[in-house]
Amino acid sequence: MIFDTTWLDIAARGILLAAAAILWVVVLVRINGLRSLSKMTNFDFVMTVALGSLVAGAAQASDWKAFAQAMVAMAGLFLVQFLAARIRKSSNAAEDAMQNDPVFLMRNGAFCDAALKNTRVAKSDLIAKLREANVLDYGQVRAVVLETTGDVSVLHGDHLDETLIENVKRV
């Protein structure tokens, strides 16, 4: 593909194609914006994983056709994500279909056992998240939310502004 010597060709392809693929991703992110690689929705997460797979495929391409296909597929992912974000922004129905609701796992110091069961979150995992957030007393926990991205937010302290949890689902 690049050199006649096998080992030299393998090394050059690995380095040059990976660099070209990464530069292509940087260009696409500059065009589409940093939101492209955010983890705000499950759609964004899938986009990031798929993009990583395509970069790996481009770096391992054994011919120019395969390399070009991976590069075009990356652009296609960015286009689909751009269109999906526009549709989500303009349609509540599309928003509801594409995104999970955040869910309370704990509220005012009490575990939400039904939510833990429905979301398949183990109580031990939740307790680990409480420790990570430096919670010293369950009574200080105002809310623990399983976010749309799969992240867990721990809100603790003396006061909680209710606007922070107004769209959180109670199970």
mmCIF file of all heavy atoms in Angstrom, residues 92-113:
data_model
loop_
_atom_site.group_PDB
_atom_site.id
_atom_site.type_symbol
_atom_site.label_atom_id
_atom_site.label_comp_id
_atom_site.label_asym_id
_atom_site.label_seq_id
_atom_site.Cartn_x
_atom_site.Cartn_y
_atom_site.Cartn_z
ATOM 1 N N ASN A 92 -40.549 17.105 20.630
ATOM 2 C CA ASN A 92 -40.600 16.440 21.936
ATOM 3 C C ASN A 92 -40.786 14.939 21.782
ATOM 4 O O ASN A 92 -40.254 14.154 22.566
ATOM 5 C CB ASN A 92 -41.721 17.026 22.798
ATOM 6 C CG ASN A 92 -41.385 18.413 23.289
ATOM 7 O OD1 ASN A 92 -40.220 18.790 23.374
ATOM 8 N ND2 ASN A 92 -42.403 19.191 23.603
ATOM 9 N N ALA A 93 -41.555 14.523 20.773
ATOM 10 C CA ALA A 93 -41.771 13.090 20.544
ATOM 11 C C ALA A 93 -40.447 12.407 20.191
ATOM 12 O O ALA A 93 -40.165 11.307 20.684
ATOM 13 C CB ALA A 93 -42.796 12.880 19.437
ATOM 14 N N ALA A 94 -39.656 13.036 19.342
ATOM 15 C CA ALA A 94 -38.349 12.479 18.984
ATOM 16 C C ALA A 94 -37.437 12.456 20.200
ATOM 17 O O ALA A 94 -36.698 11.482 20.416
ATOM 18 C CB ALA A 94 -37.710 13.294 17.865
ATOM 19 N N GLU A 95 -37.487 13.510 20.997
ATOM 20 C CA GLU A 95 -36.695 13.577 22.229
ATOM 21 C C GLU A 95 -37.042 12.406 23.143
ATOM 22 O O GLU A 95 -36.164 11.721 23.669
ATOM 23 C CB GLU A 95 -36.962 14.902 22.938
ATOM 24 C CG GLU A 95 -36.346 15.034 24.302
ATOM 25 C CD GLU A 95 -34.893 15.461 24.275
ATOM 26 O OE1 GLU A 95 -34.426 15.900 23.226
ATOM 27 O OE2 GLU A 95 -34.243 15.326 25.313
ATOM 28 N N ASP A 96 -38.331 12.168 23.330
ATOM 29 C CA ASP A 96 -38.776 11.076 24.195
ATOM 30 C C ASP A 96 -38.356 9.710 23.654
ATOM 31 O O ASP A 96 -38.007 8.814 24.416
ATOM 32 C CB ASP A 96 -40.290 11.117 24.373
ATOM 33 C CG ASP A 96 -40.752 12.326 25.181
ATOM 34 O OD1 ASP A 96 -39.910 12.939 25.878
ATOM 35 O OD2 ASP A 96 -41.952 12.672 25.101
ATOM 36 N N ALA A 97 -38.395 9.554 22.338
ATOM 37 C CA ALA A 97 -38.037 8.277 21.723
ATOM 38 C C ALA A 97 -36.538 8.005 21.778
ATOM 39 O O ALA A 97 -36.115 6.857 21.910
ATOM 40 C CB ALA A 97 -38.510 8.244 20.269
ATOM 41 N N MET A 98 -35.727 9.049 21.698
ATOM 42 C CA MET A 98 -34.272 8.882 21.612
ATOM 43 C C MET A 98 -33.564 8.902 22.957
ATOM 44 O O MET A 98 -32.402 8.511 23.041
ATOM 45 C CB MET A 98 -33.667 9.990 20.752
ATOM 46 C CG MET A 98 -33.982 9.890 19.307
ATOM 47 S SD MET A 98 -33.148 11.253 18.470
ATOM 48 C CE MET A 98 -33.510 10.881 16.782
ATOM 49 N N GLN A 99 -34.224 9.375 23.993
ATOM 50 C CA GLN A 99 -33.521 9.585 25.253
ATOM 51 C C GLN A 99 -34.274 8.963 26.413
ATOM 52 O O GLN A 99 -35.488 9.076 26.507
ATOM 53 C CB GLN A 99 -33.353 11.086 25.492
ATOM 54 C CG GLN A 99 -32.561 11.423 26.718
ATOM 55 C CD GLN A 99 -32.136 12.857 26.712
ATOM 56 O OE1 GLN A 99 -31.577 13.341 25.744
ATOM 57 N NE2 GLN A 99 -32.391 13.559 27.792
ATOM 58 N N ASN A 100 -33.530 8.334 27.303
ATOM 59 C CA ASN A 100 -34.112 7.810 28.535
ATOM 60 C C ASN A 100 -34.382 8.958 29.497
ATOM 61 O O ASN A 100 -33.759 10.008 29.417
ATOM 62 C CB ASN A 100 -33.135 6.841 29.206
ATOM 63 C CG ASN A 100 -32.846 5.641 28.352
ATOM 64 O OD1 ASN A 100 -33.714 5.122 27.687
ATOM 65 N ND2 ASN A 100 -31.603 5.195 28.365
ATOM 66 N N ASP A 101 -35.293 8.742 30.421
ATOM 67 C CA ASP A 101 -35.540 9.720 31.474
ATOM 68 C C ASP A 101 -34.573 9.480 32.622
ATOM 69 O O ASP A 101 -34.243 8.337 32.937
ATOM 70 C CB ASP A 101 -36.973 9.575 32.020
ATOM 71 C CG ASP A 101 -38.024 9.998 31.025
ATOM 72 O OD1 ASP A 101 -37.770 10.943 30.261
ATOM 73 O OD2 ASP A 101 -39.104 9.382 31.012
ATOM 74 N N PRO A 102 -34.114 10.552 33.274
ATOM 75 C CA PRO A 102 -33.344 10.350 34.505
ATOM 76 C C PRO A 102 -34.270 9.776 35.579
ATOM 77 O O PRO A 102 -35.476 10.057 35.580
ATOM 78 C CB PRO A 102 -32.867 11.757 34.864
ATOM 79 C CG PRO A 102 -33.763 12.687 34.129
ATOM 80 C CD PRO A 102 -34.292 11.959 32.945
ATOM 81 N N VAL A 103 -33.726 8.958 36.461
ATOM 82 C CA VAL A 103 -34.532 8.241 37.460
ATOM 83 C C VAL A 103 -33.921 8.414 38.844
ATOM 84 O O VAL A 103 -32.703 8.308 39.008
ATOM 85 C CB VAL A 103 -34.590 6.729 37.115
ATOM 86 C CG1 VAL A 103 -35.361 5.953 38.160
ATOM 87 C CG2 VAL A 103 -35.182 6.506 35.738
ATOM 88 N N PHE A 104 -34.789 8.650 39.838
ATOM 89 C CA PHE A 104 -34.324 8.687 41.229
ATOM 90 C C PHE A 104 -33.941 7.281 41.672
ATOM 91 O O PHE A 104 -34.710 6.337 41.517
ATOM 92 C CB PHE A 104 -35.432 9.174 42.175
ATOM 93 C CG PHE A 104 -35.661 10.648 42.171
ATOM 94 C CD1 PHE A 104 -36.875 11.165 41.737
ATOM 95 C CD2 PHE A 104 -34.681 11.521 42.607
ATOM 96 C CE1 PHE A 104 -37.098 12.530 41.732
ATOM 97 C CE2 PHE A 104 -34.895 12.885 42.609
ATOM 98 C CZ PHE A 104 -36.111 13.388 42.168
ATOM 99 N N LEU A 105 -32.761 7.151 42.262
ATOM 100 C CA LEU A 105 -32.347 5.906 42.900
ATOM 101 C C LEU A 105 -32.427 6.043 44.418
ATOM 102 O O LEU A 105 -32.506 5.042 45.130
ATOM 103 C CB LEU A 105 -30.918 5.540 42.494
ATOM 104 C CG LEU A 105 -30.684 5.292 41.003
ATOM 105 C CD1 LEU A 105 -29.214 4.985 40.745
ATOM 106 C CD2 LEU A 105 -31.578 4.188 40.483
ATOM 107 N N MET A 106 -32.406 7.294 44.861
ATOM 108 C CA MET A 106 -32.488 7.595 46.286
ATOM 109 C C MET A 106 -33.075 8.985 46.418
ATOM 110 O O MET A 106 -32.806 9.859 45.593
ATOM 111 C CB MET A 106 -31.085 7.536 46.894
ATOM 112 C CG MET A 106 -31.026 7.464 48.371
ATOM 113 S SD MET A 106 -29.304 7.108 48.864
ATOM 114 C CE MET A 106 -29.529 7.054 50.618
ATOM 115 N N ARG A 107 -33.920 9.174 47.422
ATOM 116 C CA ARG A 107 -34.546 10.483 47.620
ATOM 117 C C ARG A 107 -34.676 10.750 49.105
ATOM 118 O O ARG A 107 -35.192 9.906 49.848
ATOM 119 C CB ARG A 107 -35.919 10.488 46.943
ATOM 120 C CG ARG A 107 -36.646 11.800 46.969
ATOM 121 C CD ARG A 107 -36.022 12.778 45.957
ATOM 122 N NE ARG A 107 -36.871 13.938 45.830
ATOM 123 C CZ ARG A 107 -36.551 15.138 46.275
ATOM 124 N NH1 ARG A 107 -35.396 15.348 46.860
ATOM 125 N NH2 ARG A 107 -37.367 16.145 46.127
ATOM 126 N N ASN A 108 -34.180 11.901 49.545
ATOM 127 C CA ASN A 108 -34.252 12.326 50.949
ATOM 128 C C ASN A 108 -33.790 11.236 51.924
ATOM 129 O O ASN A 108 -34.454 10.929 52.901
ATOM 130 C CB ASN A 108 -35.659 12.802 51.299
ATOM 131 C CG ASN A 108 -35.989 14.085 50.571
ATOM 132 O OD1 ASN A 108 -35.129 14.943 50.369
ATOM 133 N ND2 ASN A 108 -37.232 14.209 50.127
ATOM 134 N N GLY A 109 -32.631 10.648 51.619
ATOM 135 C CA GLY A 109 -32.014 9.676 52.516
ATOM 136 C C GLY A 109 -32.547 8.265 52.413
ATOM 137 O O GLY A 109 -32.044 7.371 53.088
ATOM 138 N N ALA A 110 -33.568 8.032 51.576
ATOM 139 C CA ALA A 110 -34.162 6.698 51.464
ATOM 140 C C ALA A 110 -33.895 6.104 50.082
ATOM 141 O O ALA A 110 -33.990 6.797 49.068
ATOM 142 C CB ALA A 110 -35.666 6.773 51.712
ATOM 143 N N PHE A 111 -33.574 4.823 50.061
ATOM 144 C CA PHE A 111 -33.367 4.133 48.790
ATOM 145 C C PHE A 111 -34.708 3.966 48.077
ATOM 146 O O PHE A 111 -35.733 3.716 48.710
ATOM 147 C CB PHE A 111 -32.740 2.750 49.021
ATOM 148 C CG PHE A 111 -31.322 2.821 49.506
ATOM 149 C CD1 PHE A 111 -31.034 2.751 50.859
ATOM 150 C CD2 PHE A 111 -30.278 2.955 48.608
ATOM 151 C CE1 PHE A 111 -29.729 2.822 51.310
ATOM 152 C CE2 PHE A 111 -28.966 3.024 49.044
ATOM 153 C CZ PHE A 111 -28.688 2.964 50.405
ATOM 154 N N CYS A 112 -34.701 4.081 46.776
ATOM 155 C CA CYS A 112 -35.893 3.853 45.947
ATOM 156 C C CYS A 112 -35.766 2.435 45.404
ATOM 157 O O CYS A 112 -35.235 2.220 44.308
ATOM 158 C CB CYS A 112 -35.986 4.872 44.823
ATOM 159 S SG CYS A 112 -36.061 6.576 45.388
ATOM 160 N N ASP A 113 -36.240 1.469 46.197
ATOM 161 C CA ASP A 113 -36.025 0.061 45.870
ATOM 162 C C ASP A 113 -36.632 -0.338 44.528
ATOM 163 O O ASP A 113 -36.022 -1.106 43.778
ATOM 164 C CB ASP A 113 -36.575 -0.825 46.994
ATOM 165 C CG ASP A 113 -35.760 -0.674 48.274
ATOM 166 O OD1 ASP A 113 -34.519 -0.582 48.177
ATOM 167 O OD2 ASP A 113 -36.364 -0.630 49.357
#
